[in-house]
Amino acid sequence: MWTYARRGYSNVASGVASINALKSPAIRELQQLAGTDSQYSFPTPRQLKAHLDKYIIGQDHCKKVLSVAVFNHYIRVQDASNDSSSTLLGAPVLHKKSDTSVELEKSNILLFGPTGSGKTLAATTMARVLQVPIVIQDCTSLTQAGYVGEDVESCILKLLTKADFDVNLCQRGIVVLDELDKLAKPQVYAGTKDIGGEGVQQALLKLVEGTSVSVHAKKSNHMENTGLGGGTAEYTVDTSTILFIGMGAFTGLDKIIKKRLGRKKLSDVLSKAQPSDLEQYGLIPELVGRMPVFSSLKQLEVDDLERILMEPQNSIVRQYEYSFAKSGVRLAFTRTAVRKIAEKALKNGTGARGLRGVLEKVLLAANYECPGSGISFVLVDEEVMEMDEITPKYFARGEIFRFLEQVGKEDEQLRGMLSHEYGIPKLESIKN
Ligand SMILES: Nc1ncnc2c1ncn2[C@@H]1O[C@H](COP(=O)(O)OP(=O)(O)OP(=O)(O)O)[C@@H](O)[C@H]1O
């Protein structure tokens, strides 16, 4: 049984930095909050999920699976770097701890679910908290070696560039293989991709499992600073500690699962996927086998979209409020208006991705009118949302009470909040 207690993770002969380098300020904050700083050298799955919760609405199962998988992955990376007999920079390594026969195998991840459900957001949020480099590689642009296009190893060069040519940091990074479903063998996926997709899957096998990749790139800042001059250098990157996350919408996978289960109606179908379903979809078994951890994301419902607009730390509404505040304008949405925006986005069928588009339309007139106009308050309420050509309600600085009154007609809580913001504790008492 593994214990994850601190084991004195000093740097080893290979020069692999301790996993402690992964302790970002955000991680330290999480650990201090949870009072577990002394026990773990990096966040527990629970702490990782707590961090994802701040940014990603819903998708609980996926957040748990991802947190556990990432935790285990970095335990493995740590184990490798803690083993003086192994090197992360050399040829493929069997990462055995010197004091035990237990070998932690690499567990890459496969996430599938509808467009705009938060797959990429989950991976990038995770990378941010761990402070590791991340690359989102669009699989549709990859080709087999010898064909025109990017070959699969190009994602390693991108990751190395993200890591500012620090090979050790690159080796702890994350590569997202986006649109992996588009590489499916053509019998099921009837898209634009031809037989080449299967060839790319074959080419990905070694990379995903762990191999030594040589890349030519510009010399690192460090090399230049130490007087080794400019130009290019050859870097050797071992991909065995890089975490690969395959992603895709896998449109049509639900039908395969339903057929296997012999059910026409089934809720949350994708969560019942088995490796055999992915193989039938057109992924080669060897690739499915190398991504043993998988989780599905759900189609976001209107309630989720409403929460996404308002709740995350950098929610879309907060982002727009912030950009209007830069021009001295207070932008406000009533609760009903937010609901209407979520409903409109849902109709687009692009998940949370549709929210920004709807908001851009709603705010086009305000974005055009406000700068340099003397407008101080912009209100989007239900009435505004029902206009054919949306024009928010504008108020000048001297019209603050009229603005608050309008807000209060639909959203008492928002009026209270805005009154407090402007130091107007009791609107009625001032008006009387
Ligand atoms: N569950 C969620 N919680 C909060 N925001 C979300 C969520 N899902 C999506 N978003 C928002 O929608 C945008 C698009 O999401 P994301 O790129 O993660 O979708 P995706 O599932 O990777 O879609 P695709 O398959 O089209 O690449 C994100 O930038 C984010 O703002």
PDB file of all heavy atoms in Angstrom, residues 55-59 113-122 178-179 247-249 297 300 304 308 312 316 319 350-356, ligand 1:
ATOM      1  N   TYR A  55     -13.667  27.191 -10.955  1.00  0.00           N
ATOM      2  CA  TYR A  55     -13.720  27.652 -12.345  1.00  0.00           C
ATOM      3  C   TYR A  55     -14.700  26.881 -13.213  1.00  0.00           C
ATOM      4  O   TYR A  55     -15.159  27.387 -14.226  1.00  0.00           O
ATOM      5  CB  TYR A  55     -12.318  27.550 -12.986  1.00  0.00           C
ATOM      6  CG  TYR A  55     -11.307  28.448 -12.315  1.00  0.00           C
ATOM      7  CD1 TYR A  55     -10.551  27.986 -11.251  1.00  0.00           C
ATOM      8  CD2 TYR A  55     -11.149  29.770 -12.723  1.00  0.00           C
ATOM      9  CE1 TYR A  55      -9.637  28.812 -10.615  1.00  0.00           C
ATOM     10  CE2 TYR A  55     -10.236  30.600 -12.101  1.00  0.00           C
ATOM     11  CZ  TYR A  55      -9.483  30.121 -11.039  1.00  0.00           C
ATOM     12  OH  TYR A  55      -8.603  30.937 -10.409  1.00  0.00           O
ATOM     13  N   ILE A  56     -14.952  25.628 -12.829  1.00  0.00           N
ATOM     14  CA  ILE A  56     -15.761  24.763 -13.712  1.00  0.00           C
ATOM     15  C   ILE A  56     -17.063  24.391 -13.021  1.00  0.00           C
ATOM     16  O   ILE A  56     -17.055  23.818 -11.926  1.00  0.00           O
ATOM     17  CB  ILE A  56     -14.971  23.500 -14.088  1.00  0.00           C
ATOM     18  CG1 ILE A  56     -13.660  23.916 -14.751  1.00  0.00           C
ATOM     19  CG2 ILE A  56     -15.779  22.596 -15.010  1.00  0.00           C
ATOM     20  CD1 ILE A  56     -12.593  22.880 -14.705  1.00  0.00           C
ATOM     21  N   ILE A  57     -18.146  24.746 -13.653  1.00  0.00           N
ATOM     22  CA  ILE A  57     -19.471  24.472 -13.106  1.00  0.00           C
ATOM     23  C   ILE A  57     -19.893  23.056 -13.501  1.00  0.00           C
ATOM     24  O   ILE A  57     -19.739  22.640 -14.641  1.00  0.00           O
ATOM     25  CB  ILE A  57     -20.492  25.495 -13.662  1.00  0.00           C
ATOM     26  CG1 ILE A  57     -20.117  26.922 -13.234  1.00  0.00           C
ATOM     27  CG2 ILE A  57     -21.919  25.139 -13.256  1.00  0.00           C
ATOM     28  CD1 ILE A  57     -20.150  27.196 -11.775  1.00  0.00           C
ATOM     29  N   GLY A  58     -20.464  22.341 -12.520  1.00  0.00           N
ATOM     30  CA  GLY A  58     -20.959  20.982 -12.793  1.00  0.00           C
ATOM     31  C   GLY A  58     -19.811  20.041 -13.137  1.00  0.00           C
ATOM     32  O   GLY A  58     -18.684  20.226 -12.684  1.00  0.00           O
ATOM     33  N   GLN A  59     -20.089  19.030 -13.928  1.00  0.00           N
ATOM     34  CA  GLN A  59     -19.088  18.052 -14.402  1.00  0.00           C
ATOM     35  C   GLN A  59     -18.320  17.438 -13.238  1.00  0.00           C
ATOM     36  O   GLN A  59     -17.105  17.231 -13.302  1.00  0.00           O
ATOM     37  CB  GLN A  59     -18.104  18.710 -15.413  1.00  0.00           C
ATOM     38  CG  GLN A  59     -18.725  19.528 -16.503  1.00  0.00           C
ATOM     39  CD  GLN A  59     -19.645  18.726 -17.437  1.00  0.00           C
ATOM     40  OE1 GLN A  59     -20.026  17.617 -17.116  1.00  0.00           O
ATOM     41  NE2 GLN A  59     -20.017  19.290 -18.556  1.00  0.00           N
ATOM     42  N   GLY A 113     -17.099  14.421 -24.522  1.00  0.00           N
ATOM     43  CA  GLY A 113     -18.353  15.077 -24.181  1.00  0.00           C
ATOM     44  C   GLY A 113     -18.622  16.166 -25.192  1.00  0.00           C
ATOM     45  O   GLY A 113     -17.743  16.522 -25.986  1.00  0.00           O
ATOM     46  N   PRO A 114     -19.828  16.711 -25.170  1.00  0.00           N
ATOM     47  CA  PRO A 114     -20.225  17.664 -26.198  1.00  0.00           C
ATOM     48  C   PRO A 114     -19.350  18.921 -26.247  1.00  0.00           C
ATOM     49  O   PRO A 114     -18.664  19.233 -25.272  1.00  0.00           O
ATOM     50  CB  PRO A 114     -21.658  18.053 -25.805  1.00  0.00           C
ATOM     51  CG  PRO A 114     -22.029  17.207 -24.653  1.00  0.00           C
ATOM     52  CD  PRO A 114     -20.831  16.517 -24.146  1.00  0.00           C
ATOM     53  N   THR A 115     -19.408  19.586 -27.360  1.00  0.00           N
ATOM     54  CA  THR A 115     -18.644  20.827 -27.520  1.00  0.00           C
ATOM     55  C   THR A 115     -19.069  21.858 -26.466  1.00  0.00           C
ATOM     56  O   THR A 115     -20.238  21.932 -26.093  1.00  0.00           O
ATOM     57  CB  THR A 115     -18.809  21.376 -28.962  1.00  0.00           C
ATOM     58  OG1 THR A 115     -18.052  22.575 -29.056  1.00  0.00           O
ATOM     59  CG2 THR A 115     -20.250  21.678 -29.319  1.00  0.00           C
ATOM     60  N   GLY A 116     -18.084  22.589 -25.972  1.00  0.00           N
ATOM     61  CA  GLY A 116     -18.366  23.649 -25.002  1.00  0.00           C
ATOM     62  C   GLY A 116     -18.816  23.165 -23.639  1.00  0.00           C
ATOM     63  O   GLY A 116     -19.474  23.883 -22.897  1.00  0.00           O
ATOM     64  N   SER A 117     -18.439  21.921 -23.283  1.00  0.00           N
ATOM     65  CA  SER A 117     -18.877  21.414 -21.977  1.00  0.00           C
ATOM     66  C   SER A 117     -17.794  21.561 -20.905  1.00  0.00           C
ATOM     67  O   SER A 117     -18.038  21.277 -19.738  1.00  0.00           O
ATOM     68  CB  SER A 117     -19.314  19.952 -22.104  1.00  0.00           C
ATOM     69  OG  SER A 117     -18.268  19.170 -22.635  1.00  0.00           O
ATOM     70  N   GLY A 118     -16.603  21.978 -21.303  1.00  0.00           N
ATOM     71  CA  GLY A 118     -15.569  22.278 -20.308  1.00  0.00           C
ATOM     72  C   GLY A 118     -14.367  21.347 -20.339  1.00  0.00           C
ATOM     73  O   GLY A 118     -13.557  21.367 -19.410  1.00  0.00           O
ATOM     74  N   LYS A 119     -14.187  20.584 -21.414  1.00  0.00           N
ATOM     75  CA  LYS A 119     -13.066  19.643 -21.476  1.00  0.00           C
ATOM     76  C   LYS A 119     -11.726  20.402 -21.452  1.00  0.00           C
ATOM     77  O   LYS A 119     -10.870  20.130 -20.627  1.00  0.00           O
ATOM     78  CB  LYS A 119     -13.138  18.785 -22.757  1.00  0.00           C
ATOM     79  CG  LYS A 119     -14.404  17.958 -22.860  1.00  0.00           C
ATOM     80  CD  LYS A 119     -14.419  17.099 -24.105  1.00  0.00           C
ATOM     81  CE  LYS A 119     -14.552  17.860 -25.411  1.00  0.00           C
ATOM     82  NZ  LYS A 119     -15.853  18.536 -25.596  1.00  0.00           N
ATOM     83  N   THR A 120     -11.592  21.351 -22.371  1.00  0.00           N
ATOM     84  CA  THR A 120     -10.339  22.091 -22.456  1.00  0.00           C
ATOM     85  C   THR A 120     -10.140  22.931 -21.193  1.00  0.00           C
ATOM     86  O   THR A 120      -9.030  23.014 -20.658  1.00  0.00           O
ATOM     87  CB  THR A 120     -10.347  23.011 -23.703  1.00  0.00           C
ATOM     88  OG1 THR A 120     -10.819  22.251 -24.803  1.00  0.00           O
ATOM     89  CG2 THR A 120      -8.978  23.554 -24.003  1.00  0.00           C
ATOM     90  N   LEU A 121     -11.229  23.506 -20.725  1.00  0.00           N
ATOM     91  CA  LEU A 121     -11.142  24.334 -19.515  1.00  0.00           C
ATOM     92  C   LEU A 121     -10.619  23.508 -18.337  1.00  0.00           C
ATOM     93  O   LEU A 121      -9.782  23.991 -17.563  1.00  0.00           O
ATOM     94  CB  LEU A 121     -12.540  24.897 -19.196  1.00  0.00           C
ATOM     95  CG  LEU A 121     -12.639  25.810 -17.988  1.00  0.00           C
ATOM     96  CD1 LEU A 121     -11.862  27.100 -18.206  1.00  0.00           C
ATOM     97  CD2 LEU A 121     -14.102  26.143 -17.674  1.00  0.00           C
ATOM     98  N   ALA A 122     -11.087  22.260 -18.221  1.00  0.00           N
ATOM     99  CA  ALA A 122     -10.650  21.402 -17.112  1.00  0.00           C
ATOM    100  C   ALA A 122      -9.136  21.176 -17.197  1.00  0.00           C
ATOM    101  O   ALA A 122      -8.427  21.286 -16.196  1.00  0.00           O
ATOM    102  CB  ALA A 122     -11.407  20.078 -17.147  1.00  0.00           C
ATOM    103  N   ASP A 178      -6.429  17.321 -28.760  1.00  0.00           N
ATOM    104  CA  ASP A 178      -7.801  17.781 -28.988  1.00  0.00           C
ATOM    105  C   ASP A 178      -8.325  17.214 -30.310  1.00  0.00           C
ATOM    106  O   ASP A 178      -7.546  16.978 -31.232  1.00  0.00           O
ATOM    107  CB  ASP A 178      -7.805  19.321 -29.028  1.00  0.00           C
ATOM    108  CG  ASP A 178      -9.170  19.884 -28.716  1.00  0.00           C
ATOM    109  OD1 ASP A 178     -10.067  19.114 -28.317  1.00  0.00           O
ATOM    110  OD2 ASP A 178      -9.356  21.106 -28.864  1.00  0.00           O
ATOM    111  N   GLU A 179      -9.626  17.030 -30.379  1.00  0.00           N
ATOM    112  CA  GLU A 179     -10.266  16.481 -31.588  1.00  0.00           C
ATOM    113  C   GLU A 179      -9.719  15.104 -31.922  1.00  0.00           C
ATOM    114  O   GLU A 179      -9.578  14.752 -33.106  1.00  0.00           O
ATOM    115  CB  GLU A 179     -10.038  17.421 -32.805  1.00  0.00           C
ATOM    116  CG  GLU A 179     -10.294  18.884 -32.560  1.00  0.00           C
ATOM    117  CD  GLU A 179     -11.757  19.266 -32.682  1.00  0.00           C
ATOM    118  OE1 GLU A 179     -12.590  18.380 -32.940  1.00  0.00           O
ATOM    119  OE2 GLU A 179     -12.063  20.440 -32.497  1.00  0.00           O
ATOM    120  N   MET A 247      -8.972  14.231 -26.116  1.00  0.00           N
ATOM    121  CA  MET A 247     -10.281  14.869 -25.973  1.00  0.00           C
ATOM    122  C   MET A 247     -11.053  14.831 -27.274  1.00  0.00           C
ATOM    123  O   MET A 247     -10.462  14.812 -28.339  1.00  0.00           O
ATOM    124  CB  MET A 247     -10.102  16.369 -25.685  1.00  0.00           C
ATOM    125  CG  MET A 247      -9.874  16.669 -24.282  1.00  0.00           C
ATOM    126  SD  MET A 247      -9.752  18.433 -24.121  1.00  0.00           S
ATOM    127  CE  MET A 247      -8.988  18.462 -22.531  1.00  0.00           C
ATOM    128  N   GLY A 248     -12.354  14.893 -27.147  1.00  0.00           N
ATOM    129  CA  GLY A 248     -13.161  15.007 -28.352  1.00  0.00           C
ATOM    130  C   GLY A 248     -14.637  14.922 -28.022  1.00  0.00           C
ATOM    131  O   GLY A 248     -15.023  14.484 -26.927  1.00  0.00           O
ATOM    132  N   ALA A 249     -15.446  15.339 -28.965  1.00  0.00           N
ATOM    133  CA  ALA A 249     -16.900  15.301 -28.746  1.00  0.00           C
ATOM    134  C   ALA A 249     -17.429  13.878 -28.966  1.00  0.00           C
ATOM    135  O   ALA A 249     -18.422  13.477 -28.398  1.00  0.00           O
ATOM    136  CB  ALA A 249     -17.586  16.267 -29.691  1.00  0.00           C
ATOM    137  N   LEU A 297     -18.100  14.147 -20.126  1.00  0.00           N
ATOM    138  CA  LEU A 297     -18.701  15.395 -19.635  1.00  0.00           C
ATOM    139  C   LEU A 297     -20.125  15.455 -20.144  1.00  0.00           C
ATOM    140  O   LEU A 297     -20.421  14.974 -21.244  1.00  0.00           O
ATOM    141  CB  LEU A 297     -17.908  16.610 -20.122  1.00  0.00           C
ATOM    142  CG  LEU A 297     -16.584  16.793 -19.385  1.00  0.00           C
ATOM    143  CD1 LEU A 297     -15.477  16.049 -20.100  1.00  0.00           C
ATOM    144  CD2 LEU A 297     -16.243  18.270 -19.255  1.00  0.00           C
ATOM    145  N   LEU A 300     -24.350  20.568 -21.057  1.00  0.00           N
ATOM    146  CA  LEU A 300     -24.739  21.563 -20.043  1.00  0.00           C
ATOM    147  C   LEU A 300     -26.198  21.978 -20.243  1.00  0.00           C
ATOM    148  O   LEU A 300     -26.640  22.176 -21.365  1.00  0.00           O
ATOM    149  CB  LEU A 300     -23.808  22.782 -20.130  1.00  0.00           C
ATOM    150  CG  LEU A 300     -22.335  22.486 -19.790  1.00  0.00           C
ATOM    151  CD1 LEU A 300     -21.449  23.642 -20.219  1.00  0.00           C
ATOM    152  CD2 LEU A 300     -22.167  22.213 -18.311  1.00  0.00           C
ATOM    153  N   ASP A 304     -27.004  25.199 -15.645  1.00  0.00           N
ATOM    154  CA  ASP A 304     -25.534  25.234 -15.627  1.00  0.00           C
ATOM    155  C   ASP A 304     -25.034  26.490 -16.338  1.00  0.00           C
ATOM    156  O   ASP A 304     -24.117  27.169 -15.874  1.00  0.00           O
ATOM    157  CB  ASP A 304     -24.947  24.018 -16.370  1.00  0.00           C
ATOM    158  CG  ASP A 304     -25.383  22.701 -15.771  1.00  0.00           C
ATOM    159  OD1 ASP A 304     -25.350  22.575 -14.548  1.00  0.00           O
ATOM    160  OD2 ASP A 304     -25.776  21.806 -16.551  1.00  0.00           O
ATOM    161  N   ILE A 308     -22.697  29.351 -15.021  1.00  0.00           N
ATOM    162  CA  ILE A 308     -21.417  29.649 -15.680  1.00  0.00           C
ATOM    163  C   ILE A 308     -21.286  31.151 -15.930  1.00  0.00           C
ATOM    164  O   ILE A 308     -20.210  31.738 -15.823  1.00  0.00           O
ATOM    165  CB  ILE A 308     -21.273  28.841 -16.987  1.00  0.00           C
ATOM    166  CG1 ILE A 308     -21.022  27.378 -16.643  1.00  0.00           C
ATOM    167  CG2 ILE A 308     -20.176  29.384 -17.888  1.00  0.00           C
ATOM    168  CD1 ILE A 308     -21.093  26.421 -17.805  1.00  0.00           C
ATOM    169  N   PRO A 312     -18.285  31.356 -11.705  1.00  0.00           N
ATOM    170  CA  PRO A 312     -16.828  31.134 -11.647  1.00  0.00           C
ATOM    171  C   PRO A 312     -16.045  32.413 -11.342  1.00  0.00           C
ATOM    172  O   PRO A 312     -16.522  33.524 -11.598  1.00  0.00           O
ATOM    173  CB  PRO A 312     -16.491  30.620 -13.055  1.00  0.00           C
ATOM    174  CG  PRO A 312     -17.763  30.090 -13.585  1.00  0.00           C
ATOM    175  CD  PRO A 312     -18.839  30.955 -12.998  1.00  0.00           C
ATOM    176  N   ILE A 316     -17.946  34.949 -17.191  1.00  0.00           N
ATOM    177  CA  ILE A 316     -18.020  35.795 -18.391  1.00  0.00           C
ATOM    178  C   ILE A 316     -18.653  37.135 -18.033  1.00  0.00           C
ATOM    179  O   ILE A 316     -18.199  38.186 -18.489  1.00  0.00           O
ATOM    180  CB  ILE A 316     -18.837  35.100 -19.500  1.00  0.00           C
ATOM    181  CG1 ILE A 316     -18.332  33.674 -19.682  1.00  0.00           C
ATOM    182  CG2 ILE A 316     -18.764  35.880 -20.799  1.00  0.00           C
ATOM    183  CD1 ILE A 316     -19.087  32.882 -20.711  1.00  0.00           C
ATOM    184  N   GLN A 319     -16.186  39.297 -16.457  1.00  0.00           N
ATOM    185  CA  GLN A 319     -15.220  39.806 -17.440  1.00  0.00           C
ATOM    186  C   GLN A 319     -15.772  41.025 -18.177  1.00  0.00           C
ATOM    187  O   GLN A 319     -15.074  42.012 -18.372  1.00  0.00           O
ATOM    188  CB  GLN A 319     -14.874  38.718 -18.453  1.00  0.00           C
ATOM    189  CG  GLN A 319     -14.024  37.609 -17.877  1.00  0.00           C
ATOM    190  CD  GLN A 319     -13.797  36.491 -18.887  1.00  0.00           C
ATOM    191  OE1 GLN A 319     -13.652  36.743 -20.074  1.00  0.00           O
ATOM    192  NE2 GLN A 319     -13.750  35.261 -18.422  1.00  0.00           N
ATOM    193  N   THR A 350     -24.149  24.989 -28.614  1.00  0.00           N
ATOM    194  CA  THR A 350     -22.685  24.950 -28.537  1.00  0.00           C
ATOM    195  C   THR A 350     -22.207  25.029 -27.084  1.00  0.00           C
ATOM    196  O   THR A 350     -21.087  25.450 -26.811  1.00  0.00           O
ATOM    197  CB  THR A 350     -22.050  26.101 -29.351  1.00  0.00           C
ATOM    198  OG1 THR A 350     -22.687  27.323 -28.975  1.00  0.00           O
ATOM    199  CG2 THR A 350     -22.188  25.873 -30.829  1.00  0.00           C
ATOM    200  N   GLY A 351     -23.059  24.619 -26.177  1.00  0.00           N
ATOM    201  CA  GLY A 351     -22.695  24.607 -24.755  1.00  0.00           C
ATOM    202  C   GLY A 351     -22.348  26.006 -24.268  1.00  0.00           C
ATOM    203  O   GLY A 351     -22.890  27.002 -24.746  1.00  0.00           O
ATOM    204  N   ALA A 352     -21.398  26.037 -23.326  1.00  0.00           N
ATOM    205  CA  ALA A 352     -21.034  27.327 -22.734  1.00  0.00           C
ATOM    206  C   ALA A 352     -20.324  28.222 -23.748  1.00  0.00           C
ATOM    207  O   ALA A 352     -20.260  29.444 -23.574  1.00  0.00           O
ATOM    208  CB  ALA A 352     -20.146  27.095 -21.526  1.00  0.00           C
ATOM    209  N   ARG A 353     -19.804  27.582 -24.792  1.00  0.00           N
ATOM    210  CA  ARG A 353     -19.133  28.357 -25.843  1.00  0.00           C
ATOM    211  C   ARG A 353     -20.082  29.394 -26.442  1.00  0.00           C
ATOM    212  O   ARG A 353     -19.661  30.463 -26.865  1.00  0.00           O
ATOM    213  CB  ARG A 353     -18.675  27.391 -26.935  1.00  0.00           C
ATOM    214  CG  ARG A 353     -17.555  27.853 -27.755  1.00  0.00           C
ATOM    215  CD  ARG A 353     -17.226  26.780 -28.756  1.00  0.00           C
ATOM    216  NE  ARG A 353     -16.415  25.715 -28.198  1.00  0.00           N
ATOM    217  CZ  ARG A 353     -15.152  25.867 -27.857  1.00  0.00           C
ATOM    218  NH1 ARG A 353     -14.574  27.034 -28.026  1.00  0.00           N
ATOM    219  NH2 ARG A 353     -14.464  24.875 -27.349  1.00  0.00           N
ATOM    220  N   GLY A 354     -21.385  29.083 -26.464  1.00  0.00           N
ATOM    221  CA  GLY A 354     -22.370  29.985 -27.048  1.00  0.00           C
ATOM    222  C   GLY A 354     -22.645  31.227 -26.211  1.00  0.00           C
ATOM    223  O   GLY A 354     -23.165  32.226 -26.724  1.00  0.00           O
ATOM    224  N   LEU A 355     -22.279  31.179 -24.932  1.00  0.00           N
ATOM    225  CA  LEU A 355     -22.620  32.312 -24.048  1.00  0.00           C
ATOM    226  C   LEU A 355     -21.946  33.611 -24.489  1.00  0.00           C
ATOM    227  O   LEU A 355     -22.551  34.678 -24.502  1.00  0.00           O
ATOM    228  CB  LEU A 355     -22.208  31.994 -22.605  1.00  0.00           C
ATOM    229  CG  LEU A 355     -23.037  30.918 -21.904  1.00  0.00           C
ATOM    230  CD1 LEU A 355     -22.380  30.501 -20.595  1.00  0.00           C
ATOM    231  CD2 LEU A 355     -24.458  31.428 -21.645  1.00  0.00           C
ATOM    232  N   ARG A 356     -20.697  33.483 -24.846  1.00  0.00           N
ATOM    233  CA  ARG A 356     -19.953  34.692 -25.217  1.00  0.00           C
ATOM    234  C   ARG A 356     -20.571  35.344 -26.457  1.00  0.00           C
ATOM    235  O   ARG A 356     -20.712  36.562 -26.525  1.00  0.00           O
ATOM    236  CB  ARG A 356     -18.476  34.358 -25.452  1.00  0.00           C
ATOM    237  CG  ARG A 356     -17.587  35.559 -25.499  1.00  0.00           C
ATOM    238  CD  ARG A 356     -16.123  35.154 -25.483  1.00  0.00           C
ATOM    239  NE  ARG A 356     -15.671  34.704 -24.188  1.00  0.00           N
ATOM    240  CZ  ARG A 356     -15.286  35.511 -23.208  1.00  0.00           C
ATOM    241  NH1 ARG A 356     -15.305  36.816 -23.381  1.00  0.00           N
ATOM    242  NH2 ARG A 356     -14.899  35.038 -22.052  1.00  0.00           N
TER     243      ARG A 356
HETATM  244  N1  LIG B   1     -18.468  23.487 -17.084  1.00  0.00           N
HETATM  245  C1  LIG B   1     -18.065  24.746 -17.349  1.00  0.00           C
HETATM  246  N2  LIG B   1     -17.930  25.659 -16.358  1.00  0.00           N
HETATM  247  C2  LIG B   1     -17.537  26.917 -16.630  1.00  0.00           C
HETATM  248  N3  LIG B   1     -17.279  27.378 -17.862  1.00  0.00           N
HETATM  249  C3  LIG B   1     -17.393  26.524 -18.880  1.00  0.00           C
HETATM  250  C4  LIG B   1     -17.790  25.170 -18.688  1.00  0.00           C
HETATM  251  N4  LIG B   1     -17.810  24.561 -19.874  1.00  0.00           N
HETATM  252  C5  LIG B   1     -17.434  25.446 -20.768  1.00  0.00           C
HETATM  253  N5  LIG B   1     -17.180  26.644 -20.195  1.00  0.00           N
HETATM  254  C6  LIG B   1     -16.828  27.888 -20.899  1.00  0.00           C
HETATM  255  O1  LIG B   1     -16.966  27.664 -22.300  1.00  0.00           O
HETATM  256  C7  LIG B   1     -15.727  27.875 -22.993  1.00  0.00           C
HETATM  257  C8  LIG B   1     -15.506  26.679 -23.925  1.00  0.00           C
HETATM  258  O2  LIG B   1     -15.256  25.532 -23.132  1.00  0.00           O
HETATM  259  P1  LIG B   1     -14.163  24.440 -23.497  1.00  0.00           P
HETATM  260  O3  LIG B   1     -13.166  25.016 -24.445  1.00  0.00           O
HETATM  261  O4  LIG B   1     -13.617  23.837 -22.252  1.00  0.00           O
HETATM  262  O5  LIG B   1     -15.097  23.421 -24.260  1.00  0.00           O
HETATM  263  P2  LIG B   1     -14.749  21.985 -24.835  1.00  0.00           P
HETATM  264  O6  LIG B   1     -15.578  21.006 -24.083  1.00  0.00           O
HETATM  265  O7  LIG B   1     -13.274  21.765 -24.821  1.00  0.00           O
HETATM  266  O8  LIG B   1     -15.321  22.116 -26.309  1.00  0.00           O
HETATM  267  P3  LIG B   1     -14.746  21.607 -27.728  1.00  0.00           P
HETATM  268  O9  LIG B   1     -15.040  20.129 -27.797  1.00  0.00           O
HETATM  269  O10 LIG B   1     -15.558  22.367 -28.723  1.00  0.00           O
HETATM  270  O11 LIG B   1     -13.283  21.926 -27.774  1.00  0.00           O
HETATM  271  C9  LIG B   1     -14.657  27.968 -21.890  1.00  0.00           C
HETATM  272  O12 LIG B   1     -13.736  28.952 -22.152  1.00  0.00           O
HETATM  273  C10 LIG B   1     -15.441  28.355 -20.661  1.00  0.00           C
HETATM  274  O13 LIG B   1     -15.503  29.749 -20.537  1.00  0.00           O
END
